Amino acid sequence: MELPPQRRVYGRRLGHRLRPGRQALLERALPRLRLDLPRDERARIDPAGLFPAPVRDLWLEIGFGAGEHLAHQLRANPDVGIIGCEPFVQGVAGLLSLLEGDGTAARARIFPDDGRLLVHYLPDACIGRLFVLFPDPWPKKRHHKRRLIDADTLAGFARVLRDGAEFRWASDDRDYVEWTLERVAANGAFVRADPGASEAPARPADWPETRYEQKARAAGRAPVLLRFVRAPR
Ligand SMILES: C[S@@+](CC[C@H](N)C(=O)[O-])C[C@H]1O[C@@H](n2cnc3c(N)ncnc32)[C@H](O)[C@@H]1O
């Protein structure tokens, strides 16, 4: 299994300067929650060693943005541990501020980098749910190669998801929806969780709106929420 190629898929890592309080929070809280990768590229992360207490299931969110969805899922699922990946430092600080003081941080690990790298280091069939919500759409054709979803990324997802695990994906970009449906179908390891439903099936109660989704709706763009299930191996 090779490391993912150095294909750039995310926009910025640094935005405007962090407010002093956020910077202090980042320095104080991130070292405890940051997930460091093994030095050996053939080694794998041990899910059993991620959290101080055992969890029922391990979930993964790639591109958590400001972290409100991840924080919600931690609160709503008190027996689940979640790894969140986000290279944008403002987003990481945002998640840390949401987790501060509510007791859920012990079930969170943060990988402040490219989620494809993290997936590479996960063992097979260890993830019970995967969220990729509003990945950067890169609408210009010459930027399509930066889209997170491609054959290699999906092969990694299929490897790390357990049989029956759910993969939730959303976008407000029609072309990216088509692109993803085509590539997921070509991958062959996933089935739609709601077969026969329209392309935009009803929203499950346990899927809150993200910040990006709220902005998209406010701008009149209708998001498409997709749920796939990892088919039995
Ligand atoms: C459009 S935003 C959506 C954020 C959030 N999911 C939401 O719905 O509000 C996409 C996010 O994905 C992050 N991202 C892009 N490529 C990524 C990658 N390879 N691994 C992890 N995060 C990534 C970006 O930094 C950005 O914060």
Side-chain angles (χ1 to χ4, degrees), residues 45-161:
I45 292 163
D46 175 14
L50 287 176
F51 308 105
V55 290
R56 170 181 63 81
D57 205 0
L58 179 61
W59 295 359
L60 172 63
E61 179 163 353
I62 296 181
F64 59 70
E68 65 287 336
H69 175 270
L70 199 159
H72 167 95
Q73 295 295 356
L74 280 173
R75 281 194 301 274
N77 300 281
D79 48 1
V80 165
I82 307 184
I83 304 174
C85 306
E86 175 55 66
F88 188 46
V89 70
Q90 252 85 4
V92 172
L95 174 63
L96 289 170
S97 76
L98 293 174
L99 300 185
E100 208 180 27
D102 79 350
T104 57
R107 291 180 288 107
R109 295 301 300 269
I110 298 176
F111 182 63
D113 206 323
D114 187 335
R116 295 171 305 157
L117 257 182
L118 188 273
V119 166
H120 171 87
Y121 286 96
L122 288 173
D124 294 358
C126 66
I127 299 293
R129 191 168 286 192
L130 168 65
F131 307 96
V132 181
L133 307 180
F134 301 92
D136 297 300
W138 297 112
K140 291 183 185 146
K141 202 163 180 134
R142 68 174 193 277
H143 288 153
H144 283 182
K145 55 182 179 297
R146 294 187 181 173
R147 286 177 167 171
L148 178 69
I149 300 298
D150 75 351
D152 291 338
T153 305
L154 288 170
F157 292 172
R159 183 182 68 75
V160 301
L161 286 170

